[in-house]
Amino acid sequence: MWHAYCRWAAGQGIESERFRRRWAGGGADKVWPDGWLADVSALAERRGSAPATVAALTGFEQGTVERPVTASRGCHALTRALAVGVLPAGRKGSAWVRWARELAALTHGDAGAQSATAAAVVLVGHCLHGASVLQALAAGTEAVEAARDVAGGLVARLAGAREDAERQPADPARLALLAPDATAEAVLLGGVYVAASFSGRADVGAALRFAAGAPHGEGVGCVAGALLGAAHGTDVLPTGLVSRLELAWVLDVLARDLVAELTESPGGSEYTDAKDPLWLTRYPGW
């Protein structure tokens, strides 16, 4: 994951030559950054600021839970991690909470941001595997609590966000209180509140419109959309919105290839030959 972040940074023009020397070893004949995503020009465009991520990457030392490289509480580590909720889907064990915290810690050192990221990954996994949105959110919260590896009070606040949705669903004032800023915990609580307020298959469009009204609507909408999309499937995403996404085809290819990696092992393994000889060229795992 750290190497993948470095590939992204180089594509953005951030310390490109330093990263090349680090990863290509100075070899003039070595193509780096590698992998097909490096050729997607839309991913090289600047679309906003990510100061904590850039600070961590330009420091050339990946952060860990024990040795953070930033003190950021921001939501970028969380929103980037939502997709990996497919990994713990249907599986038990506190190891996933720790793993997700370590993923966030690569760039974000605040314990609360790491805990929120871990909780978000587990919640998405339960939505992929759960019987309903509300049941999945409740079971996911219990799994986070059982792991005992999150910052104090987060589990209670997650439960409180669900209860708020039962008592006062779709209340803009309540959403603003739960998610007043762009911190990881705020967008998580806001996303849970939105998903619990609009839990039906036919409500996803309304959920995204409501989420956009939060003080940091992008983050809240990202979390709510991930939870609801995981629970109901891609068919419930509003076609009008998806068709306007510049990177929709990239996301679709990545999603399908992730499922293929988890179910078919197209790149092979120590014991099996690769079904797709170009798989590790597309996704170099180093």
Side-chain angles (χ1 to χ4, degrees), residues 40-43 47 242 244-253:
V40 179
S41 59
L43 288 174
R47 301 175 186 272
V242 174
R244 288 158 47 195
L245 292 175
E246 182 182 2
L247 290 166
W249 71 273
V250 176
L251 299 175
D252 189 58
V253 171

Side-chain angles (χ1 to χ4, degrees), residues 11-146:
Q12 291 276 309
I14 300 169
E15 301 279 3
S16 298
E17 190 53 39
R18 285 183 69 198
F19 279 121
R20 175 172 167 73
R21 290 196 299 270
R22 162 66 178 84
W23 292 105
D29 59 338
K30 186 172 181 62
V31 176
W32 192 91
D34 48 4
W36 78 278
L37 289 173
D39 295 326
V40 179
S41 59
L43 288 174
E45 294 184 18
R46 294 288 179 93
R47 301 175 186 272
S49 62
T53 300
V54 172
L57 287 165
T58 53
F60 275 68
E61 181 180 354
Q62 66 188 65
T64 67
V65 173
E66 293 77 18
R67 296 189 305 279
V69 293
T70 75
S72 178
R73 301 169 58 213
C75 67
H76 283 159
L78 184 152
T79 53
R80 287 196 299 263
L82 288 167
V84 299
V86 69
L87 298 178
R91 301 179 176 92
K92 297 181 179 180
S94 59
W96 293 108
V97 172
R98 176 68 181 185
W99 175 80
R101 282 198 64 194
E102 291 172 348
L103 179 61
L106 291 174
T107 56
H108 287 61
D110 180 74
Q114 295 167 11
S115 295
T117 300
V121 168
V122 172
L123 290 175
V124 169
H126 276 75
C127 283
L128 281 165
H129 193 70
S132 72
V133 173
L134 297 178
Q135 290 174 344
L137 292 176
T141 302
E142 291 177 1
V144 173
E145 182 177 24

